[in-house]
Amino acid sequence: MDFDFIYNAYFKDVFLYLRSLSANDDIAEEIAQETFVKALKSIDTFDGAKDIRAWLFTIAKNTYFTYCKRQKIFVDKEPSDSISDPQSVFTERIFDEESSFLIHQFLHSMREPYKEVFSLRVFGELSFEKIALLFGKSPSWARVVFYRAKTQIKEYMEVLSNE
């Protein structure tokens, strides 16, 4: 496998995924670099049965949690993932800075797998099929979990707007 190609093709995806977990560009870049170092060291163990992006995301997620433990940063059991179509008022709110911060704040308290599926979809820009591969579930499962996560966030934002 051409590792330069893998790095160039997937670095942005891994970085965006990690940024969705950490909400910090510097941490995301540091962990993304560490992810690719680990991937390079163990590329010969990758059997090709799964999507390489799913393999890289798994390494990234585990590296992020190790980082959090070392830094004594407390996070929920697993990361989150993300969005479907950028058509609704909901997606417009994500791009509003204040709303975006409130959503990220809520994401950190959200339970798994809602948090990770929402982050992967919105911030990692992964398809439901790829998210399903990561979890070993069906694309329908990923859609339902994403919809429920989105509903939780909408309800949270409505409560805040009514206060």
Side-chain angles (χ1 to χ4, degrees):
M1 286 193 152
D2 181 14
F3 198 77
D4 285 337
F5 172 78
I6 294 169
Y7 180 85
N8 290 325
Y10 299 108
F11 181 83
K12 183 179 178 184
D13 293 338
V14 170
F15 170 78
L16 290 172
Y17 172 64
L18 288 165
R19 189 175 67 185
S20 74
L21 296 177
S22 67
N24 182 304
D25 286 350
D26 295 331
I27 292 171
E29 186 164 348
E30 178 183 334
I31 295 172
Q33 293 292 344
E34 192 174 336
T35 297
F36 280 94
V37 169
K38 288 180 178 182
L40 178 61
K41 289 179 181 176
S42 61
I43 192 71
D44 53 331
T45 64
F46 179 68
D47 62 3
K50 289 187 177 180
D51 181 21
I52 191 146
R53 187 184 325 218
W55 181 67
L56 290 168
F57 278 16
T58 301
I59 295 171
K61 178 177 69 171
N62 292 334
T63 304
Y64 174 69
F65 287 130
T66 301
Y67 169 84
C68 289
K69 286 178 188 174
R70 274 189 267 135
Q71 300 298 319
K72 298 192 182 340
I73 298 171
F74 300 101
V75 294
D76 289 339
K77 293 177 187 164
E78 301 219 347
S80 63
D81 267 13
S82 302
I83 205 166
S84 58
D85 298 326
Q87 77 226 23
S88 67
V89 175
F90 175 73
T91 55
E92 291 172 12
R93 286 179 131 181
I94 287 181
F95 296 108
D96 171 19
E97 278 187 45
E98 186 176 332
S99 295
S100 179
F101 176 76
L102 292 170
I103 290 169
H104 278 287
Q105 192 175 24
F106 181 72
L107 274 174
H108 284 287
S109 66
M110 191 179 270
R111 293 181 318 151
E112 293 302 335
Y114 305 105
K115 180 180 175 182
E116 186 169 5
V117 170
F118 183 84
S119 294
L120 288 171
R121 182 74 175 140
V122 174
F123 305 112
E125 300 176 355
L126 292 184
S127 67
F128 289 117
E129 290 75 18
K130 291 193 179 195
I131 293 170
L133 277 174
L134 285 171
F135 285 91
K137 304 278 187 177
S138 71
S140 298
W141 174 88
R143 283 184 187 87
V144 168
V145 171
F146 174 73
Y147 175 79
R148 289 177 182 168
K150 194 166 75 168
T151 301
Q152 288 177 24
I153 293 170
K154 281 182 183 179
E155 289 171 356
Y156 172 75
M157 295 303 287
E158 286 173 8
V159 167
L160 288 180
S161 67
N162 291 333
E163 289 182 348

